Amino acid sequence: MVRLQSYVLLGFTAFALAAASPATKRRTPLIKDSLPQVPRGWTLHRAAPAHHMIKLRIGLPQSNFAELEKALHEVSDPAHPRYGAHLSKEEVEELVAPHPESLDLVEDWLISHGFDVATLDRSPAKDWITIIVPVHQAESMLDTKYNVYKHEATGMELVRTQSYSLPEYLFEHVDVIQPTTMFGGGMRAMDTTSHIELDDSEPGASAAADDCTNTRITVACLQDLYKTKGYVPKVPGKNKIGITGYLEQYANFADLKQFYQAYVPAAVDSKFDVKLIHGGKNDQNLSLAGEEANLDVQYAGGISYPTPNIFWSTGGSPPFIPDLVTPTNTNEPYADWLDYVLGLSAEELPQTITTSYGDDEQTVPRDYAIRVCNELAQLGARGVTLFYSSGDFGVGGNNKTRNTCITNDGTNTVSFLPAFPASCPYVTAVGGTTNLTEVAVNFSGGGFSNYFPTPDYQKKEVESYLEKIGSTYDGLYNRTGRGYPDVAALGTSFRIIYQGRDVGIGGTSASSPAFAAVISLVNDALIAKGRPPLGWLNPWLYSTGYAALNDITSGSNPGCNTTGFAAGPGWDPVTGFGSPNFEKILALLDLEK
Ligand SMILES: *[C@@H]1O[C@H](CO)[C@@H](O)[C@H](O)[C@H]1NC(C)=O
Ligand SMILES: *[C@@H]1O[C@H](CO)[C@@H](O)[C@H](O)[C@H]1NC(C)=O
Ligand SMILES: *[C@@H]1O[C@H](CO)[C@@H](O)[C@H](O)[C@H]1NC(C)=O
Ligand SMILES: *[C@@H]1O[C@H](CO)[C@@H](O)[C@H](O)[C@H]1NC(C)=O
Ligand SMILES: *[C@@H]1O[C@H](CO)[C@@H](O)[C@H](O)[C@H]1NC(C)=O
Ligand SMILES: *[C@@H]1O[C@H](CO)[C@@H](O)[C@H](O)[C@H]1NC(C)=O
């Protein structure tokens, strides 16, 4: 209370003490973030109930992020003496810890709103503070009004606002507060084209495990194609692969067993380890098995067996009922998952992680996307390779019609719509191919970010691609943005077991676990030799690794009433550098199969 009084006093004497300390700066609330309009696809439904509880996450600036970024580049660059010297959890936390002044000022602000700082919920690096407050209190703290917005297509409801404010002096001490202006319906599964392609009546189900055709891809087919066949993982006690699950997609043990019986008999007695995050569940009712989750565990597990698999089921998905007083649904799966994973010790943290979820970049506020991307960088600094599927709608937005290509910025401009987190430069985005000859599949998400500039590691490739296409699509994409995907893998006709049935499935949702599993085997080979894992892949990939990939040179990713970008020799925003050749990667790294 004493602190609160001195805070108020300082406020009244701000003019007299001008510039004496940042705390004496103006307290007038100024708009911190705002949306020009209700985002496309949403309608304002009604005022939010005043006593509805929301969980606000306050992101404090990571004072030494530039240093973390420098370290990340050094430990990931094969030409640097620090290559492979990944940082410890403590080292990362020290670099991202907020400046003490930010901590003090944000704490004072919270105290002035009646919070007890001793009991605040904080991230391990103290760079996030989480508070649970009724809507009316959030409204007074952020000088705003919350409403219930409804998503027209799905009926999903969210409590959000179109703008929020903070006292001016806090601007440099708070990066972001959410949920406020973030409408991205959380991560929608990029599984819209991982629809069931064939049913059990097709010949697929009864054929042999290694009978491969353009419309029938199995674990054995991928082992053959990507040359992992015959490799026996050497250090399954040390190497692990992580698979993320959201949206109440449950990976089913019985389906996995049936899958292994049919396609990977050696693995039949193994299964994945489930970890539940933030109310995530693990319902093993067969009729609730998720196709996305099953696809991910069956392929990541099948290719990397006997490497241990961890399946993370993160809670917080629709349907959302905003009148509930319990803040069970903040729809912030990125943050919940990151909090959890960044808290894992070196022994618990998998070296390779695959995620087949994402959303249109424009539905995630820029400051929040940058923050999430910076946290993914922390995982890279700790030596984790992160794979994200690049999206299933070509150059179009995350919508089956593919012609939903209009900006949310108030100008309603027709534009290609990049996907996030694929657009984050610290992840490796995986596009899709089709057929055993591997050509770009026409749904492969790809393009250029509007939030993240072209990183140095890919400047040469992006420039040369843009030079090739000249003025084609000028104005539809961002010439100075990060280009993605970085790599690709098959993404059609994967046989999976889903709710007891043998079915075909496709999507870059299939490509990401397939590529990740191959890299997990590379990490196994490295660790077995006492060497560090690959970690953040892109600097290695763009400087030397690309030479060990199968370049995909035909096909394109249509959308927005265009034929999209064309694949071609070298890097392209459809298939990146292409699909993996395990034997070549091992040779390049001076390893033996
Ligand atoms: C996809 O786009 C169409 C056409 O713009 C729209 O009617 C539909 O609601 C969108 N679907 C989703 C899931 O956003
Ligand atoms: C499994 O889920 C289905 C669909 O929700 C439900 O009808 C069924 O009762 C559940 N079975 C069990 C054993 O809970
Ligand atoms: C894939 O192969 C089939 C024949 O199996 C062919 O009809 C189709 O055009 C090929 N797809 C592409 C994108 O080339
Ligand atoms: C993509 O290819 C599939 C299968 O070849 C075809 O049915 C579909 O119409 C194509 N989509 C676009 C947008 O070109
Ligand atoms: C294009 O990308 C740059 C670099 O990330 C960014 O600063 C700019 O705002 C983007 N332009 C648009 C129109 O989004
Ligand atoms: C694409 O063409 C359809 C049909 O002509 C039209 O309705 C739609 O607005 C167009 N979309 C874009 C992004 O130009």
Side-chain angles (χ1 to χ4, degrees), residues 168-248:
E168 188 182 7
Y169 76 92
L170 280 181
F171 272 48
E172 58 192 295
H173 304 290
V174 174
D175 271 351
V176 58
I177 300 184
Q178 291 292 350
T180 49
T181 50
M182 173 154 138
F183 279 73
M187 295 212 202
R188 263 182 280 160
M190 286 188 172
D191 60 355
T192 321
T193 56
S194 31
H195 56 275
I196 307 304
E197 293 168 342
L198 308 167
D199 67 20
D200 358 20
S201 63
E202 292 292 329
S206 54
D210 57 357
D211 183 359
C212 310
T213 68
N214 286 346
T215 53
R216 185 175 189 282
I217 301 299
T218 65
V219 166
C221 307
L222 296 173
Q223 288 171 327
D224 235 15
L225 194 60
Y226 298 144
K227 308 228 181 301
T228 66
K229 199 176 203 158
Y231 180 78
V232 180
K234 300 178 182 74
V235 286
K238 292 182 181 164
N239 189 39
K240 289 185 273 296
I241 182 166
I243 300 151
T244 59
Y246 297 96
L247 305 170
E248 279 158 26

Side-chain angles (χ1 to χ4, degrees), residues 359-569:
D359 212 337
D360 291 343
E361 187 184 67
Q362 68 168 359
T363 66
V364 183
R366 184 187 295 253
D367 51 7
Y368 194 76
I370 290 171
R371 211 27 214 256
V372 167
C373 184
N374 286 356
E375 305 207 2
L376 295 169
Q378 294 173 42
L379 286 171
R382 290 182 62 187
V384 179
T385 313
L386 296 167
F387 290 101
Y388 280 81
S389 48
S390 71
D392 286 359
F393 307 98
V395 292
N398 190 0
N399 181 310
K400 274 181 209 165
T401 70
R402 280 195 208 205
N403 286 321
T404 315
C405 303
I406 299 176
T407 60
N408 248 344
D409 60 0
T411 64
N412 292 343
T413 312
V414 173
S415 172
F416 293 166
L417 295 181
F420 180 79
S423 67
C424 166
Y426 303 122
V427 309
T428 300
V430 189
T433 66
T434 186
N435 287 0
L436 292 167
T437 52
E438 286 205 275
V439 295
V441 67
N442 67 8
F443 58 68
S444 184
F448 299 87
S449 172
N450 285 314
Y451 289 176
F452 302 98
T454 318
D456 284 344
Y457 64 75
Q458 64 165 203
K459 274 223 159 88
K460 191 164 60 87
E461 288 76 15
V462 165
E463 274 164 19
S464 103
Y465 187 84
L466 294 184
E467 202 169 300
K468 230 167 16 187
I469 66 168
S471 59
T472 317
Y473 305 145
D474 264 3
L476 286 174
Y477 72 96
N478 195 324
R479 293 183 75 91
T480 63
R482 135 116 168 117
Y484 74 96
D486 303 294
V487 297
L490 271 178
T492 54
S493 303
F494 280 36
R495 302 305 303 186
I496 63 164
I497 302 295
Y498 169 60
Q499 302 186 354
R501 289 178 303 138
D502 187 313
V503 298
I505 192 168
T508 54
S509 279
S511 315
S512 184
F515 204 107
V518 174
I519 292 301
S520 177
L521 295 178
V522 176
N523 280 334
D524 177 89
L526 283 165
I527 295 166
K529 286 277 180 209
R531 291 166 59 184
L534 286 166
W536 177 38
L537 202 63
N538 297 0
W540 171 80
L541 184 68
Y542 283 81
S543 62
T544 53
Y546 69 91
L549 302 194
N550 309 309
D551 192 5
I552 314 297
T553 56
S554 69
S556 75
N557 56 357
C560 308
N561 290 345
T562 73
T563 54
F565 294 113

Side-chain angles (χ1 to χ4, degrees), residues 285-288:
N285 179 336
L286 192 62
S287 58
L288 297 180

